[in-house]
Amino acid sequence: MDSEGSSKTTSTASVNCIDEDTPLLARSNSGSGSSSATSVVAETSKKRQCLSLEPVAVALCFGWSMSGIVLSNQIIHQTCWYMGYNASLCATLGANSNATGAKELEALVQPTVAKITMTSSIITSVIPALCGLFLGPWSDKFGRKPVMIIPCVGYIVSYVTKAIICQASSLLPLNPWLYVYADIPAAISGGTTVFYAGMFSYLADVSNEGNRAVRMGMLQGSSLGGAFVGMLSSSFILQLTNTATVFMISASMMLFGMAYVLFLIEDSVDRSTDNLRLGRYRKFREIFRLDLVMDIFNTFFKARSGYDRGIIWLTVVIGAFSVLGSGGSNIFYLFTRNKFNWTLEQYTMWQSADLLSIIVGNFLGILILKKVFKLPDIAIAFVSVLCFSGDSFIKGLASHGWQLYLATGVTPLKGTEGAALMTLSSNILPSHDIAKVYSMAMSLTATVPLAAAPLFTYIYNQTLTTAPEAFNFVASGIYAVNILFVGIIHILLKNRQCHQRLHPVEESDREVIA
C-alpha cells in the first residue's frame, strides 16, 4: 500500500532523440534488408524516440505515491471506527497525541491494518504476475502501447472505487476490507508489473548497448522523481482537500498517462500484416494462448553458451531477494507511528527525503560511476545491495527519528542495482529474447510478496509491543544474501569472458539448444 512506481523526467526527452540506433528487438516483418527498408526503419526509429515516456512515468508515479500513504492512513482511522471506537478517540491516532488510551488503541488497531495491507500487497502482486506471463509475449506481436494502456484503465477504476468508498465511510462506518476489493481492477489489468514490463521493453526497443545503462538509470531515477513529488505533496493535498479527492487526483494522473500513450507515443513494435488484419476479439483471444506462455518459459530456461543462463537466473534471484527484503515497506508507516509517534506529515517528509536520496543516487550515482570511474554494471549492483543491507540495519538500530534520516543519507546508491542488472542482462541476451526474459523476470519477482507480506506482517505483529524494529534486521539479512549472489555473477562474467576468447560466437549463435 506504500508508494509504487517509476518515472522519468522530461528533461531527458531531448537527449533520448540523439545518438540512438534502430530498435533492438527483431520483428517478423524485418526480413529482407534492402537499403530502402533500412532507411525507413531508421527514420521510424528516430521518430519514435522524439516523444518519450517520461511524462507518463512521472504522472503515474505521482499518482501511485500520493495515494499510497494516504490510503494507509485512511485504513487506520476507518478500522478504528469500524471496530466501534469513539470517532473523537480515533481522530487522535497518528496525530502525535498523548491522549489517554491513544497508544493502547494504536496497538489494538495496527494488527488488523497490517493484515489488510498484507492482503492488498498479495493481490496487487500475484495477479499481475500471472497477467505478465500472458501479456508479455502478446506485446511482442501486437505492440507495447496496449500493455501500458490497460493497467492505466484498471487503476482508474480502482481509484474511483476507493474515492466512493472513502466518501461513503464519512457518513457511516464501512468495513476497511472494502479497499482490498477495490484493488482487484488494478490487479487483473496487470498493475505495475505489466506496465513496467511494457515500459522497459519499449526502452530496450529504442536504445542501444552504448547508452542503455545510463537510460535505465535515468528511467529508474526519474521514476522516483514522480514518486518524490507525490509523496512530498500528499499530506499537504490531504490537508487542503480530503482523502476522496486525493484518490480522484490519482485517477486523473492515470487518465493522463493513458491518453499520452494512446495519442502521442508511436509503438516500437513493427507488427506484421497478418497481425494488423486481426479483429479486436481475435487479438483479445491471443492474450490467452498458452503456447506463447510456454515460449517465455522455454526462452527463460533454455541452455545458453558462456554461462549466460546462470547469469540471467541470478539477476532474477537478486531481484526476488530485493523484493523479499522490501516486504517490510508495507508496515514501515505503522512502525514509525509506534516507535517514534510520527504523524503522517513527519513520515511523508522522511520518505520524501529517502526518495530524493535514491533519485540523486540513480541520476548522478550511475552517471559518475559509469562515465567518470568507468565501473562495470556488476560493481554498481554490488554497491547498491550493500547500501540496502546497511540501510535496513541502521533503521533497526534507530532509537530516534533523526536516525532514519542518517540511514537515508549514507545509503544513496540503494536501488541502482535494478538498472545495472537489467542492462547487464540485455547486453548478453539475443535481441529477440530481451522482452520475453523481462516478462518472466518481472512475473517471478512479482510473486515474492506472496511470501514477503505474510512474513513481515507476522514478525511485526509478534514483536509489536516488545521489539517493533525487529523486522528491519530480518530485511538487512535478506539483502545481505544478495551480496553473495552479486559476487557469483562477477565470477561467472569473468569465466564468460574467458569462454568467449576461446570460443568466439556471433549474435545469432549465442543460444545453445538443450
Side-chain angles (χ1 to χ4, degrees), residues 37-349:
T38 304
S39 63
V40 170
V41 172
E43 289 178 7
T44 303
S45 179
K46 290 180 181 179
K47 183 179 179 181
R48 285 173 184 150
Q49 296 154 34
C50 290
L51 275 176
S52 58
L53 291 172
E54 286 90 339
V56 181
V58 169
L60 266 60
C61 289
F62 173 84
W64 288 330
S65 65
M66 178 184 64
S67 61
I69 188 61
V70 170
L71 177 59
S72 296
N73 196 62
Q74 174 67 18
I75 290 175
I76 290 173
H77 289 91
Q78 195 163 322
T79 301
C80 181
W81 299 331
Y82 188 73
M83 291 173 68
Y85 294 101
N86 184 277
S88 59
L89 181 59
C90 291
T92 64
L93 296 178
N96 203 16
S97 172
N98 293 318
T100 304
K103 194 75 173 178
E104 291 77 7
L105 180 59
E106 184 93 27
L108 292 172
V109 170
Q110 280 204 11
T112 301
V113 175
K115 291 176 183 176
I116 294 173
T117 57
M118 174 193 71
T119 306
S120 177
S121 176
I122 292 173
I123 289 175
T124 55
S125 299
V126 177
I127 296 178
L130 297 175
C131 295
L133 289 177
F134 289 94
L135 288 172
W138 185 86
S139 72
D140 284 338
K141 295 181 62 178
F142 299 104
R144 311 299 184 201
K145 288 177 62 173
V147 298
M148 289 186 281
I149 292 172
I150 293 172
C152 293
V153 175
Y155 274 111
I156 291 172
V157 176
S158 287
Y159 282 130
V160 171
T161 304
K162 289 176 182 178
I164 295 172
I165 295 172
C166 183
Q167 192 64 33
S169 70
S170 64
L171 303 176
L172 69 161
L174 290 180
N175 193 329
W177 283 93
L178 289 173
Y179 290 109
V180 175
Y181 292 103
D183 281 324
I184 293 176
I188 62 177
S189 63
T192 56
T193 302
V194 169
F195 177 81
Y196 282 133
M199 188 164 61
F200 282 124
S201 295
Y202 180 91
L203 183 59
D205 291 348
V206 299
S207 63
N208 57 51
E209 292 188 11
N211 63 15
R212 193 172 299 136
V214 173
R215 291 195 63 180
M216 288 286 189
M218 297 288 280
L219 172 61
Q220 193 161 337
S222 54
S223 321
L224 294 168
F228 168 74
V229 176
M231 180 60 63
L232 188 63
S233 62
S234 60
S235 60
F236 300 103
I237 294 175
L238 181 61
Q239 288 177 352
L240 294 174
T241 58
N242 54 47
T243 308
T245 303
V246 171
F247 292 138
M248 292 305 297
I249 293 174
S250 294
S252 69
M253 294 295 102
M254 305 300 118
L255 181 61
F256 167 80
M258 181 186 69
Y260 187 99
V261 173
L262 182 62
F263 296 112
L264 298 180
I265 294 294
E266 182 179 352
D267 214 315
S268 59
V269 172
D270 299 320
R271 289 167 288 177
S272 67
T273 304
D274 291 340
N275 290 337
L276 288 171
R277 289 174 179 170
L278 292 177
R280 293 182 179 178
Y281 177 70
R282 180 66 183 277
K283 289 179 181 178
F284 178 76
R285 285 180 56 191
E286 288 284 312
I287 294 176
F288 304 101
R289 281 183 55 182
L290 293 179
D291 60 319
L292 295 179
V293 178
M294 291 307 301
D295 186 37
I296 285 187
F297 277 91
N298 292 335
T299 300
F300 187 76
F301 289 104
K302 69 183 175 185
R304 300 178 185 274
S305 62
Y307 305 94
D308 288 1
R309 181 168 62 173
I311 294 170
I312 297 300
W313 286 4
L314 280 172
T315 60
V316 176
V317 170
I318 290 172
F321 268 78
S322 294
V323 174
L324 181 62
S326 66
S329 62
N330 289 320
I331 55 174
F332 202 80
Y333 175 50
L334 303 179
F335 163 70
T336 58
R337 290 169 63 110
N338 184 29
K339 181 80 172 180
F340 309 117
N341 202 26
W342 272 9
T343 63
L344 176 66
E345 291 76 13
Q346 288 174 305
Y347 179 78
T348 54
M349 287 298 293

Side-chain angles (χ1 to χ4, degrees), residues 3-22:
S3 61
E4 308 167 75
S6 127
S7 58
K8 271 185 155 182
T9 53
T10 52
S11 62
T12 61
S14 59
V15 177
N16 294 342
C17 297
I18 303 173
D19 190 30
E20 304 285 2
D21 290 340
T22 54

Side-chain angles (χ1 to χ4, degrees), residues 25 37 63 82 95 133 143 149 174 252 262 288 313 376 378 397 403 407 413 418 427 432 443 468 480 491 496 501:
L25 299 185
Y82 188 73
L133 289 177
I149 292 172
L174 290 180
S252 69
L262 182 62
F288 304 101
W313 286 4
I378 194 64
L397 295 176
Q403 290 166 339
L413 291 175
N427 288 341
H432 54 276
S443 295
I491 295 172
R496 180 178 185 269
R501 284 194 294 268

